[in-house]
């Protein structure tokens, strides 16, 4: 499995490619950052991010793209920029038919370090160890992108089993749509009672006689 991790951001968008399967050593295929000038117009910055991600998709041909799920922060402006960069990454992947997975920061930290409250230094150290690197990737956005890819590789098997279980349960669920009238379903005798039908017929004959 080859996964492109994307740590979205307007000024620095971290990208990293990891290959491997859960339970076995992982290999880093590439890591870097897509940068945009802070004083540039927003539309231009988003185009630069799109072009950068497209280049990574062209070069590494990932099977999945893992993007950090945007979460609430006190700085609304930062949240908006992160969300916009995240949407660009998702668009680039969807355009090529590549599945996209969203992981929260706490999910990534817990998967990589064992603690959902780990700081960036701890994440960088574990990424370095897991991928057998000589030094932690710089800047931290690049290390976070690799951590996203690692998280997805490790979580994907469990997610697939859960989806399969849900799908199997749905196919085995009883079909309750055969009876369209609840009152008839609760009292079948109302729908098929020969004596009632005969009495009704006799009463009608007596009125018309």
């Amino acid at each position: 499995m080859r996964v492109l991790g994307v740590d979205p951001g307007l000024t620095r968008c971290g990208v990293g490619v990891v290959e491997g399967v859960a339970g076995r050593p992982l290999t880093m295929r590439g890591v870097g950052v897509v940068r945009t000038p802070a004083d540039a117009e927003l539309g231009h910055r988003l185009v630069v991010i799109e072009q950068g991600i497209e280049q990574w998709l062209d070069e590494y041909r990932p099977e999945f793209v893992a993007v950090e799920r945007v979460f609430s922060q006190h700085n609304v402006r930062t949240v908006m920029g992160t969300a916009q960069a995240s949407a660009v990454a998702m668009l680039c992947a969807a355009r090529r038919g590549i599945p996209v997975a969203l992981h929260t920061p706490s999910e990534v930290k817990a998967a990589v370090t064992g603690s959902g409250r780990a700081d960036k230094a701890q994440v960088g150290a574990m990424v370095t160890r897991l991928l057998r690197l000589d030094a932690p990737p710089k800047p931290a956005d690049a290390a976070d992108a690799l951590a996203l890819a690692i998280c997805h590789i490790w979580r994907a098997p469990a997610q697939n089993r859960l989806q399969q279980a849900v799908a199997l349960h749905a196919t085995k669920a009883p079909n309750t749509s055969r009876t369209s009238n609840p009152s008839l379903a609760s009292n079948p005798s109302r729908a098929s009672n020969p004596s009632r039908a005969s009495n009704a017929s006799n009463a009608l004959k007596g009125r018309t006689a």
Side-chain angles (χ1 to χ4, degrees):
M1 178 188 299
R2 179 173 292 189
V3 180
L4 170 66
V6 179
D7 182 44
L10 274 180
T11 303
R12 295 185 307 274
C13 182
V15 284
V17 179
V18 177
E19 189 172 35
V21 295
R24 295 185 180 180
L26 305 177
T27 302
M28 184 191 75
R29 295 302 180 189
V31 65
V33 175
V34 178
R35 301 177 183 271
T36 69
D39 57 349
E41 190 268 332
L42 175 60
H44 174 71
R45 300 179 74 182
L46 295 176
V47 169
V48 171
I49 292 174
E50 179 194 21
Q51 293 173 343
I53 293 177
E54 289 287 354
Q55 291 177 358
W56 279 78
L57 294 175
D58 285 336
E59 181 174 356
Y60 292 98
R61 304 289 180 179
E63 302 170 73
F64 299 90
V65 173
V67 183
E68 181 180 286
R69 185 185 296 274
V70 179
F71 64 98
S72 177
Q73 293 178 339
H74 297 295
N75 190 335
V76 178
R77 183 176 180 180
T78 301
V79 173
M80 290 298 296
T82 302
Q84 290 161 343
S86 174
V88 170
M90 296 171 64
L91 173 63
C92 291
R95 185 185 290 146
R96 296 171 180 245
I98 303 175
V100 177
L102 301 177
H103 300 286
T104 65
S106 59
E107 287 175 346
V108 176
K109 293 176 182 178
V112 175
T113 71
S115 172
R117 298 183 178 181
D119 57 25
K120 287 187 175 295
Q122 292 173 308
V123 172
M126 285 304 300
V127 166
T128 302
R129 179 180 177 182
L130 292 170
L131 298 178
R132 304 177 303 282
L133 306 177
D134 295 331
K138 299 292 184 180
D141 309 84
D144 289 344
L146 292 173
L148 275 157
I150 294 171
C151 173
H152 184 71
I153 291 174
W154 284 355
R155 291 173 61 91
Q159 291 176 339
N160 291 338
R161 288 194 295 270
L162 177 60
Q163 292 174 355
Q164 292 172 358
V166 172
L168 181 62
H169 177 73
T171 59
K172 291 184 177 181
N175 185 0
T176 58
S177 61
R178 297 180 59 184
T179 304
S180 58
N181 191 329
S183 62
L184 294 181
S186 61
N187 189 4
S189 62
R190 295 181 61 185
S192 57
N193 191 323
S195 61
R196 288 187 178 183
S198 176
N199 292 341
S201 176
N202 293 336
L204 181 61
K205 291 179 179 179
R207 290 180 182 179
T208 56

